[in-house]
Amino acid sequence: MAVPIAVLDCDLLLYGRGHRTLDRFKLEDVTDEYLVATYGFPRQFIYYLVDLLGATLSRPTQRSRAISPETQILAALGFYTSGSFQTRMGDAIGISQASMSRCVANVTEALVERASQFIHFPEDEATVQTLKDDFYGLAGMPGVLGVVDCTHVAIKAPNAEDLSYVNRKGLHSLNCLMVCDSRGVLLSAETHWPGSLPDCTVLEQAALTSQFETELHKDGWLLGDSSFLLRTWLMTPLHIPETPAEYRYNMAHSATHNIIERTFRTIRSRFRCLDGSKGTLQYSPEKSSHIILACCVLHNISLEHGLDVWSSPATGHMEQPEEEYEQMESVDSEACRVRQELLLTHFS
């Protein structure tokens, strides 16, 4: 005799039928201090996310009891900022562990859909000039449109046969290429590259390169470290500086490029799911890439709301071991000419 199989709703078992949405937790019932300590962000920031994502998170569902956008956002923020699906966090907002996971997936995809809205290079001339002026004010490096670098985020092994995600340290990771401005606002974020790819290869294949070589900003450049090749739109340090001008150029370059390292540290500190202290991201490379990108979107939104990039304290495991890389020699004579002209014009 066939036995019917019922698909059980964990939240239904926990709380029974009644309201159409699960609103066990109310923002107005707790203090800002509690929200920041538990979910990483203050009340007004969370209300903004509810307004931004609410329509997407309220899409029709076949489930008998949809979880409210507010609760979904709290669940996701709790995961992003703590790095774990803690049972007590699910209990605090009145949902099960399984529902916590679904909330993270829903909010992640909603944020990824809006990535281009919050992560992009400025387009109007006045804003571009302000970008350059802000960089110049740091250490006297002219024409800078952004600083670029890669950072690895650990993920679980996709499968035993796939070695493309194994980095030089023997760990599975995604190699994420990012560009930021002088305040740490991300201007570009490509989070999907396999960890086995060296930084120079990631940049060579990245959409960022196509963007700069075909359409963007002929009167400025990015700053990258010596793991990248010198290009007309990407200034790298001199490997062996010899003259006072070359030393001054390298010092200005290093002081300016350091902004991206500080930005990486702040993102890892704010979003502990990326820092490795709770283990690797337990998702496929695609889903892990989306979680990283969602955190990047939240990082930029937080700066828009005055939650300053340098305000997060340095804690825990956020500092990754520095990647070893081979210094790249440029064969682009035009790029060498551009850098030499920069040396003569601004550092001699």
Side-chain angles (χ1 to χ4, degrees), residues 321-340:
E322 186 172 339
E323 286 289 320
E324 298 177 0
Y325 55 79
E326 180 181 354
Q327 289 195 332
M328 306 298 294
E329 291 288 350
S330 178
V331 294
D332 187 335
S333 59
E334 179 62 15
C336 291
R337 184 196 65 77
V338 170
R339 185 170 64 181
Q340 188 62 30

Side-chain angles (χ1 to χ4, degrees), residues 91-126:
D91 291 344
I93 55 179
I95 63 174
S96 66
Q97 188 95 345
S99 291
M100 279 281 296
S101 182
R102 287 194 297 272
C103 291
V104 170
N106 292 343
V107 174
T108 295
E109 292 311 306
L111 288 167
V112 168
E113 287 176 6
R114 290 159 177 79
S116 61
Q117 177 182 346
F118 293 99
I119 303 175
H120 57 81
F121 284 91
E123 295 180 356
D124 63 281
E125 291 185 11

Side-chain angles (χ1 to χ4, degrees), residues 147 178-186 257-270 299-300 303 309-310:
V147 289
M178 301 187 194
V179 180
C180 75
D181 70 9
S182 63
R183 292 195 304 124
V185 175
L186 295 173
H257 187 266
N258 186 53
I259 295 294
I260 189 74
E261 298 300 332
R262 294 173 66 187
T263 300
F264 287 157
R265 290 196 297 269
T266 299
I267 292 173
R268 290 178 182 281
S269 177
R270 179 170 281 163
H299 168 77
N300 275 10
L303 295 186
V309 67
W310 314 131

